[in-house]
Amino acid sequence: MKSAALLLTLLPLGACGLHPLYAGGGSGAVAIALTGVDVAPIEGRGGWLVANALRDRLGAGSGGGSSARFRLDVRLDDQIRGLGVRRDDSVARERRTLRARYQLVDLATSAVLLDTTTGSDAGIDVVGSEYATIAAENTAQERLAGIVADQIVGRLALYARTHAVSR
């Protein structure tokens, strides 16, 4: 009786239209497409962090070898702005913003397949120690690089899924 009730509750889920993005795991179409993406060098420390995070998330094929079918071009805008001001006119809080404009380029045709932006921000407390503030700014940059890389890879995976991109 319980199994019949469970089956009846699960039946509508099959018709919801949701499909797993990474169906097939590492040998699925999306995973294979992502390993065919070469990450072009990105300027600056933030660019180095984002590029490494992208390579880690895209898989082994992103090292620029002959298996690359696509190139990912990324331009970053990394800014720190003071928000709060103390009575002595010193900044009490900062906001670090990392924005990325990225393009997915088909290496065979040089066509831009995807051109979009993403970004994230983080709040930083400015304390009395300059070292602690710099460390907090660097930690925020590292976290933001990972977040932006996750957003880019997610968008690339969705593009690969909807456009049936494969090797």
Side-chain angles (χ1 to χ4, degrees), residues 69-131:
R69 182 175 169 203
F70 307 101
R71 183 183 70 242
L72 183 64
D73 295 326
V74 181
R75 284 190 305 275
L76 295 179
D77 179 24
D78 186 8
Q79 296 182 4
I80 299 177
R81 295 191 181 168
L83 294 177
V85 179
R86 295 186 184 101
R87 289 182 184 167
D88 65 351
D89 287 332
S90 63
V91 174
R93 187 142 175 91
E94 294 176 334
R95 177 180 178 192
R96 183 162 210 154
T97 305
L98 184 64
R99 302 277 179 249
R101 178 174 183 214
Y102 58 98
Q103 297 177 325
L104 182 65
V105 179
D106 187 330
L107 292 176
T109 64
S110 296
V112 175
L113 304 175
L114 181 66
D115 185 355
T116 189
T117 60
T118 191
S120 190
D121 60 359
I124 302 166
D125 287 328
V126 178
V127 295
S129 167
E130 187 175 337
Y131 173 78

Side-chain angles (χ1 to χ4, degrees), residues 18-29:
L18 295 177
H19 303 285
L21 185 60
Y22 293 102
S27 60

